[in-house]
Amino acid sequence: ERIAVDGLHVLPGAIDVHVHFREPGMPQKEDWATGSAAAAVGGVTTVFDMPNTIPPTDSVENFQLKLGAAKSKSIVDFGLYGLLGEHNLGDLESLAAAGVIGYKLFLGNTTGDLPCPSDGAVLEGFEILAALGLRCSIHAENSPILFWRQNKLKAAGRDDVLAHLAARTDVVAVEALNRAATLADWTGARIHIVHESCARSLPFIRFWKERGVDMTVETLPQYLYLSAEMMLNPGGEVLRMNPPIREAAHQEPLWAALADGTIDMIATDHAPHAIEEKYGPRIWDLACGFPGVETSMALMLTAVADGRLSLERVATITSGAPARAFGLYGRKGVIRVGADADLAVVDLNRSATLSAAALHSRGKVSAYEGKEVKGVPVMTFVRGRMVAKDGEVVAEKGWGELVRPNMAPPAPRNLNTTMKEILEPGQRPWG
Ligand code: NCD
Ligand code: ZN
Ligand code: ZN
């Protein structure tokens, strides 16, 4: 069959390395059918699902449980993260053999309340991952230090101080990022910083990359387009998420970092919740996170229309860079002419108005209600099959397949060599 694409642009299908499709365990929020429908309509052909489901993806048994649900319902391809927790260091190798795309480490408290491992456990976990070569995605930027203080203030009913505290988290944000990078530097583990929200982190990211840590970084459309100030508008509480959407002053540095390569890619942190969990009088009691997989591509194409990013850069940050970082490049992340291509066909001249009602996700809240976008995905192909057209799903569920990473372990790093670089010959303790 021939498909006319006159006047349209063909991009590699987007790879979203950060979604929460909530199955198993939370069907009231999302499942693999609704989540993957949202992805397909949004031009996303591969998603990586986070392990904070019920049960968490922390063992081969729990991995198989999620795999079964995803295989039977997803219409887009998917990678599944394994958890790196203090309790399952002994499961990391078997999870790799089972086929995880990488691991997820929570260094801050968030949905699912998975405990943050101690630094020693992370060190041991990273040693195992360095030998495997698989990448570890890390939730940093809302440090347990802050969570401790927040909980005390919440218990004391001090909402006034809580709000003040939230606006001053940007320095604390850097702490967990640097702790993770320090441990990666030590072990040689490959890491990926998820939901980078904070302009303060950018010089540190440049430092760690320059030092040779294999670190990739994602930011999200919500940190680029939305601000803490907007949370004061009626209904603005829906923007509550971890790490918090920060003041508008963070936006320009994040855009610049996305353009210059400090930030490698765009993900969405698609984090649907039941509607009633998202609205209420006390912001601290509301669920954190909101949907995004469906609107990300249109928002990035709007950045092209606005002259912020080139179309080539959008293809890289939505597809090429994630494919390279997680060992899929060639199979994914490129435009392939052939019967098995993952493609997003987009109309750069079409405008649309974003609205919650139009979402395919079960979490129908929109952080972007009424926003005008210019540039929308109009057809999505997963391994050659059309799965979405003009905002509607056109494939049977179950077409999606598990993607497994092809990652050679990094060369072992010799710490003594590093010391030799630093010390003058006469100063070396070993002569
Ligand atoms: C995410 C969720 O709901 O699973 N929520 C969020 O606020 N980002 C968890 C997470 O990514 O931290
Ligand atoms: Zn997170
Ligand atoms: Zn997340």
Side-chain angles (χ1 to χ4, degrees), residues 161-285:
V161 196
L162 269 168
H164 177 69
L165 186 75
R168 298 185 55 83
T169 58
D170 55 341
V171 174
V172 183
V174 174
E175 180 272 334
L177 168 80
N178 285 333
R179 194 152 39 93
T182 301
L183 294 167
D185 183 54
W186 193 343
T187 56
R190 294 180 167 125
I191 60 172
H192 173 71
I193 304 299
V194 301
H195 45 42
E196 176 56 66
S197 63
C198 183
R200 294 257 187 231
S201 297
L202 300 171
F204 294 97
I205 291 166
R206 293 187 190 105
F207 166 78
W208 291 112
K209 285 186 170 187
E210 194 181 288
R211 193 175 152 81
V213 170
D214 188 340
M215 170 195 269
T216 55
V217 182
E218 77 188 29
T219 190
L220 317 174
Q222 49 268 49
Y223 296 134
L224 299 164
Y225 282 101
L226 306 174
S227 67
E229 291 85 346
M230 291 176 175
M231 293 183 75
L232 302 173
N233 298 337
E237 71 262 37
V238 74
L239 304 188
R240 174 157 157 79
M241 67 169 295
N242 297 319
I245 293 172
R246 299 181 192 277
E247 293 82 348
H250 289 260
Q251 292 171 355
E252 284 307 319
L254 289 173
W255 278 114
L258 188 60
D260 75 18
T262 304
I263 295 175
D264 300 272
M265 66 187 83
I266 278 287
T268 68
D269 192 5
H270 178 84
H273 293 281
I275 317 293
E276 61 275 15
E277 297 173 286
K278 287 299 293 171
Y279 295 97
R282 269 193 100 207
I283 196 157
W284 307 103
D285 296 334

Side-chain angles (χ1 to χ4, degrees), residues 134-145:
L134 296 181
R135 196 172 291 276
C136 187
S137 290
I138 302 169
H139 172 119
E141 293 208 339
N142 65 326
S143 165
I145 300 171

Side-chain angles (χ1 to χ4, degrees), residues 16-354:
D16 187 345
V17 306
H18 187 166
V19 306
H20 302 267
F21 281 179
R22 307 300 193 199
E23 191 178 1
M26 290 164 274
Q28 72 283 12
K29 296 179 195 267
E30 193 80 293
D31 67 25
W32 278 95
T34 52
S36 70
V41 165
V44 177
T45 51
T46 306
V47 295
F48 298 174
D49 190 62
M50 287 296 173
N52 60 334
T53 40
I54 304 172
T57 318
D58 57 358
S59 66
V60 171
E61 192 189 348
N62 290 339
F63 172 86
Q64 296 296 351
L65 192 66
K66 183 176 283 186
L67 179 59
K71 259 187 176 164
S72 66
K73 294 189 189 171
S74 187
I75 61 169
V76 300
D77 283 352
F78 52 87
L80 304 179
Y81 281 105
L83 183 75
L84 193 174
E86 185 131 9
H87 68 284
N88 76 331
L89 294 178
D91 295 293
L92 299 180
E93 282 169 329
S94 54
L95 279 165
V100 293
I101 192 71
Y103 298 83
K104 177 66 178 291
L105 167 63
F106 289 95
L107 290 183
N109 307 73
T110 189
T111 308
D113 280 329
L114 293 167
C116 304
S118 66
D119 293 347
V122 175
L123 181 68
E124 285 180 28
F126 277 10
E127 278 168 351
I128 297 167
L129 301 197
L132 292 169
L134 296 181
R135 196 172 291 276
C136 187
S137 290
I138 302 169
H139 172 119
E141 293 208 339
N142 65 326
S143 165
I145 300 171
L146 198 68
F147 192 68
W148 181 271
R149 175 53 53 87
Q150 273 178 2
N151 273 348
K152 290 235 159 133
L153 291 170
K154 209 163 132 180
R158 292 296 305 272
D159 290 36
D160 53 331
V161 196
L162 269 168
H164 177 69
L165 186 75
R168 298 185 55 83
T169 58
D170 55 341
V171 174
V172 183
V174 174
E175 180 272 334
L177 168 80
N178 285 333
R179 194 152 39 93
T182 301
L183 294 167
D185 183 54
W186 193 343
T187 56
R190 294 180 167 125
I191 60 172
H192 173 71
I193 304 299
V194 301
H195 45 42
E196 176 56 66
S197 63
C198 183
R200 294 257 187 231
S201 297
L202 300 171
F204 294 97
I205 291 166
R206 293 187 190 105
F207 166 78
W208 291 112
K209 285 186 170 187
E210 194 181 288
R211 193 175 152 81
V213 170
D214 188 340
M215 170 195 269
T216 55
V217 182
E218 77 188 29
T219 190
L220 317 174
Q222 49 268 49
Y223 296 134
L224 299 164
Y225 282 101
L226 306 174
S227 67
E229 291 85 346
M230 291 176 175
M231 293 183 75
L232 302 173
N233 298 337
E237 71 262 37
V238 74
L239 304 188
R240 174 157 157 79
M241 67 169 295
N242 297 319
I245 293 172
R246 299 181 192 277
E247 293 82 348
H250 289 260
Q251 292 171 355
E252 284 307 319
L254 289 173
W255 278 114
L258 188 60
D260 75 18
T262 304
I263 295 175
D264 300 272
M265 66 187 83
I266 278 287
T268 68
D269 192 5
H270 178 84
H273 293 281
I275 317 293
E276 61 275 15
E277 297 173 286
K278 287 299 293 171
Y279 295 97
R282 269 193 100 207
I283 196 157
W284 307 103
D285 296 334
L286 306 179
C288 293
F290 49 83
V293 73
E294 209 161 337
T295 46
S296 181
M297 182 65 99
L299 289 164
M300 290 304 110
L301 296 174
T302 302
V304 176
D306 291 344
R308 288 184 173 282
L309 299 172
S310 68
L311 190 58
E312 290 78 4
R313 184 70 190 147
V314 168
T316 301
I317 63 181
T318 58
S319 187
R324 279 183 200 279
F326 288 88
L328 302 178
Y329 197 70
R331 290 179 282 160
K332 310 275 188 195
V334 290
I335 294 180
R336 301 206 304 178
V337 181
D340 61 350
D342 287 348
L343 301 172
V345 180
V346 302
D347 187 343
L348 295 180
N349 295 315
R350 195 190 293 187
S351 295
T353 307
L354 299 183

